[in-house]
Amino acid sequence: AIAAPDAATRAVAAQVAWHGAFSGAMPLARTCLHFETEAGTREALLHLLGSMGEEEDFPVLTAYTHPLAPPRLRRAAVSALGELATEQSRHRLAELLDDDDRSLAIAAGDSLARSGAPGLELLSIAQRGRGRARRVAASALHIARLREDVVREVA
């Protein structure tokens, strides 16, 4: 159904695969993402790659964080990179803490906070830096503390 001719069917199939954690959909989802024209379906496919993807999906997810990508898809890719939770994806999220799109930078901070101790460590490092990334990292860590994502040793 992810490759169905009808856009609504593709969108629903991508959502179902994402929420239902259907790993069998991954090879087709990777292919369909390159040809999909509907933003909502692409967004669901990005989330699917993040939640069930592997290291090989990093380049595709990173491509969607480019400043020329549509904002909605950039935010979906940032969320997906956080779900992927690899060393590469965390470092890309750390780079995005200084993005010109403030809402994207904040989403990158939130994704780092949710990606576990290595992401929290990168936020701690960024918090000691300068500029926008410092402020975004500090905010992300503060929110993580409120959510109790942060253990005292990392904070």
Side-chain angles (χ1 to χ4, degrees):
I2 288 179
D6 179 59
T9 302
R10 291 192 310 273
V12 169
Q15 289 282 340
V16 168
W18 172 33
H19 291 292
F22 297 127
S23 61
M26 292 304 295
L28 186 57
R30 288 180 181 107
T31 301
C32 289
L33 181 59
H34 296 292
F35 303 105
E36 183 55 56
T37 58
E38 296 295 321
T41 305
R42 287 171 106 181
E43 184 176 4
L45 289 168
L46 288 169
H47 284 292
L48 179 61
L49 287 184
S51 66
M52 301 195 57
E54 299 172 3
E55 192 80 29
E56 71 185 73
D57 298 309
F58 172 76
V60 172
L61 294 174
T62 299
Y64 278 94
T65 66
H66 190 276
L68 295 179
R72 175 180 177 179
L73 296 179
R74 288 187 82 203
R75 283 188 284 282
V78 161
S79 177
L81 285 168
E83 292 176 50
L84 192 61
T86 64
E87 184 177 349
Q88 279 187 316
S89 66
R90 287 186 187 103
H91 282 284
R92 177 60 181 144
L93 290 170
E95 292 170 0
L96 292 169
L97 294 174
D98 197 35
D99 196 86
D100 289 336
D101 179 344
R102 184 175 169 88
S103 67
L104 185 89
I106 291 168
D110 184 58
S111 288
L112 271 173
R114 292 176 187 269
S115 73
L120 294 168
E121 182 61 32
L122 287 172
L123 285 170
S124 294
I125 292 167
Q127 181 182 238
R128 295 188 293 269
R130 295 177 180 237
R132 181 181 331 197
R134 177 180 176 267
R135 292 187 302 275
V136 170
S139 296
L141 285 169
H142 181 72
I143 291 168
R145 281 186 203 96
L146 293 174
R147 280 195 317 248
E148 299 179 358
D149 288 349
V150 178
V151 293
R152 293 184 189 269
E153 295 85 39
V154 176

